[in-house]
Amino acid sequence: MAELNLAVIYYSSTGTNHQMAQWAEEAGKSVGANVRLRRVPETAPMEAIEQNPAWKEHYEKTQDVEEATTEDLDWADAIIFSAPTRFGVEASQFRAFIDTTGGLWGQGKLVNKVVSAMSSAQNSHGGQEATVLSIYKTMAHWGAIIVPPGYTDPVQFASGGNPYGVSATAGEEGIVEDIEEAVKHQAKRTVETAKWIKDGQGQ
Ligand SMILES: Cc1cc2nc3c(=O)[nH]c(=O)nc-3n(C[C@H](O)[C@H](O)[C@H](O)COP(=O)(O)O)c2cc1C
C-alpha cells in the first residue's frame, strides 16, 4: 500500500479549530498516514490580539505549532481544513493562506488533492455549513476531490448531522456538541479515500 500524506491545516483564534485539527491529526495517524498539523499564519496586528485575552492566550500557547506553507499542500495527498466562521465565511487569516496557493495552482499541483473541511461558529446555526461550502468552492477551482462525511457513520447523528463537514458550536465552556468522533470519522474517511485513489493509480 502506498504511503499517504495528510496535511491538517487550520486557523484558530481561541482554540476551537485547533482542538478539531488535533483530533483530525490523531485520527490520521491512527490509520497510518504521515500527518503534518499546520497552523495558518496569523495576519491580525498584535494590538488586536492583545485586546482579547482568550485570543492572546491561544496565540501564545500555539507558537510552537509549525506554520502552514504551500509546500505542505504540495506534499499532501489528503488535506483537512478547519477554519472559524466569520460572518458566514472562513476567517480572513485562512483566506490569506489560500490566496498564496496561486503558484501551485498554476503548476497544476493542487489537482486531485483529496480534501475535506470543518468549521465552527459561536451559534449552532451561525453559518458553519456556509463556511464549509465556501471552502469547497475554492476546492472546485483547484480540481480537488472533495470528500464530505455525509451520513456515512452513526457518529454523524450524534455530532449535529452536518453532512458537508463537522460543525462545532464554540461555547463559553468549549465545544458544545460531542464532535470528537465525527471529526475522527471525517479525517479517517478522507485518508481512506485518498489511499483508495492513490493505490488505484496506474491500474
Ligand atoms: C469578526 C467575527 C465574525 C464572526 N461571525 C460569526 C457568525 O457569523 N456567526 C457565528 O455564529 N459566530 C461568528 N463569530 C464567532 C466565531 O465563529 C467563533 O469565535 C469561532 O468559531 C471560534 O473558533 P476558534 O476558537 O477556533 O477561533 C465571529 C467572530 C468574529 C471575531
Side-chain angles (χ1 to χ4, degrees):
M1 189 177 286
E3 287 264 309
L4 202 286
N5 294 339
L6 170 70
V8 181
I9 311 266
Y10 78 95
Y11 174 74
S12 186
S13 295
T14 55
T16 314
N17 288 271
H18 179 229
Q19 172 66 83
M20 293 160 78
Q22 286 177 310
W23 284 329
E25 175 192 28
E26 203 183 311
K29 286 181 177 166
S30 78
V31 289
N34 305 314
V35 186
R36 289 186 185 178
L37 174 71
R38 295 290 185 265
R39 169 174 67 83
V40 162
E42 184 56 81
T43 59
M46 269 320 286
E47 306 86 77
I49 297 170
E50 278 166 356
Q51 280 171 25
N52 179 334
W55 190 0
K56 183 169 185 279
E57 188 191 338
H58 182 71
Y59 176 81
E60 286 170 354
K61 208 172 81 185
T62 53
Q63 284 308 293
D64 61 339
V65 180
E66 271 189 63
E67 287 194 340
T69 69
T70 52
E71 194 274 324
D72 296 315
L73 301 177
D74 194 19
W75 169 84
D77 302 298
I79 309 166
I80 304 278
F81 292 112
S82 195
T85 295
R86 298 269 169 89
F87 304 130
V89 291
E90 56 274 38
S92 64
Q93 291 88 340
F94 184 84
R95 284 303 326 166
F97 174 69
I98 292 293
D99 286 357
T100 67
T101 63
L104 273 188
W105 173 84
Q107 298 166 61
K109 289 187 167 177
L110 297 170
V111 170
N112 291 348
K113 297 290 179 187
V114 176
V115 299
S116 203
M118 313 183 282
S119 185
S120 68
Q122 186 182 340
N123 302 280
S124 55
H125 302 283
Q128 294 92 330
E129 293 188 8
T131 299
V132 169
L133 291 173
S134 171
I135 295 171
Y136 288 164
K137 273 198 282 184
T138 296
M139 297 303 103
H141 288 244
W142 284 8
I145 298 168
I146 300 166
V147 181
Y151 296 101
T152 52
D153 191 282
V155 292
Q156 279 298 104
F157 299 99
S159 69
N162 182 349
Y164 306 105
V166 173
S167 284
T169 307
E172 303 247 310
E173 307 297 324
I175 298 172
V176 172
E177 306 87 355
D178 186 6
I179 58 163
E180 180 176 346
E181 291 311 314
V183 170
K184 289 181 174 174
H185 169 64
Q186 184 172 346
K188 286 180 195 169
R189 175 172 155 78
T190 306
V191 167
E192 275 154 11
T193 304
K195 274 187 193 165
W196 179 46
I197 290 168
K198 204 171 177 181
D199 287 342
Q201 272 176 10
Q203 286 180 2

